[in-house]
Amino acid sequence: VYDVVGVRRRGDPSPALRDDRFHIGSNTKAMTAGLVGLLIDEGRVTWTTTLAELFPEFAARMRPEYRAVTVRDVLTHHSGLVRDPSGEFGPGTARERRARFVGWVLAQPPRSPAGTMAYSNANYILAGAIAERLAGEDYEQLLVRRLLTPLGLTDVRFGPPRKADKVDQPSGHIAGAFGRWRADASEQASPLYASAGDVNLSVHD
């Protein structure tokens, strides 16, 4: 049994409802790590497989700092990659954008030395591309089919649950000045971010 209280957006009277959906942001990263873990269990890759081995087409032109970075380094934010992408890498599907992103991010100067913890959305966009490379399937479909459906999550979607100009679903919020919370438009994420933080779920799921 579950229930909800409160409103969908601070300053708006629309009540949160049992059937509402919530954007879970970077909690998606745990799902992505679980998916890659399944592919490791199947022997498609190992925790110590390097980026040069995963993306041989970029090995010669990727930054030398990244050639020995491993799958484990990516999933634990120890790769040294930049925090966020620059641009949309469009047009095209989310998978096509992620493929272009891989070439771009591996050519960027490191944000921090490899082996140093530095939180990065780029790591998990790259993790989504790794899963696609290994399984030959779009990340979004792969995540739902291989990980979430077997766990009993039956109504998983990607992107913000609400329309930007409406209060038809709950809005994400961030802490503002003087401890006050305000609605946050950053949940209107690019499809590029699907594997880094773009899942929305029903209250039940």
Side-chain angles (χ1 to χ4, degrees):
V1 178
Y2 59 88
D3 211 337
V4 296
V5 297
V7 295
R8 288 172 169 170
R9 179 184 174 96
R10 181 179 174 87
D12 188 283
S14 303
L17 304 175
R18 283 189 179 188
D19 293 332
D20 279 352
R21 308 185 62 79
F22 290 82
H23 193 262
I24 65 167
S26 284
N27 290 296
T28 304
K29 290 181 173 68
M31 297 176 172
T32 301
L35 173 62
V36 175
L38 283 176
L39 298 175
I40 289 171
D41 284 349
E42 293 174 357
R44 302 192 190 209
V45 70
T46 72
W47 294 109
T48 56
T49 300
T50 66
L51 294 182
E53 292 168 329
L54 279 164
F55 299 102
E57 69 273 31
F58 296 122
R61 53 194 172 101
M62 73 172 61
R63 298 273 307 196
E65 299 94 333
Y66 301 139
R67 289 178 188 145
V69 166
T70 66
V71 172
R72 179 184 284 114
D73 293 331
V74 171
L75 294 179
T76 60
H77 300 286
H78 284 73
S79 68
L81 293 177
V82 297
R83 190 184 193 285
D84 288 289
S86 174
E88 294 290 324
F89 300 92
T93 65
R95 184 175 178 179
E96 290 168 340
R97 293 184 186 189
R98 280 188 287 271
R100 287 190 286 269
F101 165 81
V102 172
W104 173 84
V105 78
L106 295 180
Q108 300 306 303
R111 173 190 178 200
S112 58
T116 302
M117 167 66 187
Y119 186 87
S120 164
N121 284 313
N123 281 315
Y124 272 79
I125 297 171
L126 181 60
I130 289 171
E132 290 174 330
R133 169 63 58 97
L134 296 173
E137 187 176 346
D138 290 358
Y139 164 83
E140 294 85 350
Q141 297 170 357
L142 188 64
L143 181 72
V144 172
R145 183 175 66 82
R146 292 301 315 279
L147 182 70
L148 302 184
T149 298
L151 290 174
L153 278 69
T154 60
D155 191 13
V156 179
R157 302 178 196 173
F158 292 86
R162 70 179 182 87
K163 297 178 176 64
D165 59 343
K166 295 183 178 180
V167 189
D168 56 346
Q169 290 288 340
S171 173
H173 291 73
I174 60 173
F178 307 110
R180 296 179 179 175
W181 291 83
R182 62 181 176 82
D184 178 25
S186 69
E187 69 183 57
Q188 308 292 324
S190 160
L192 185 68
Y193 279 82
S195 53
D198 210 20
V199 162
N200 75 75
L201 300 171
S202 65
V203 176
H204 174 76
D205 278 352

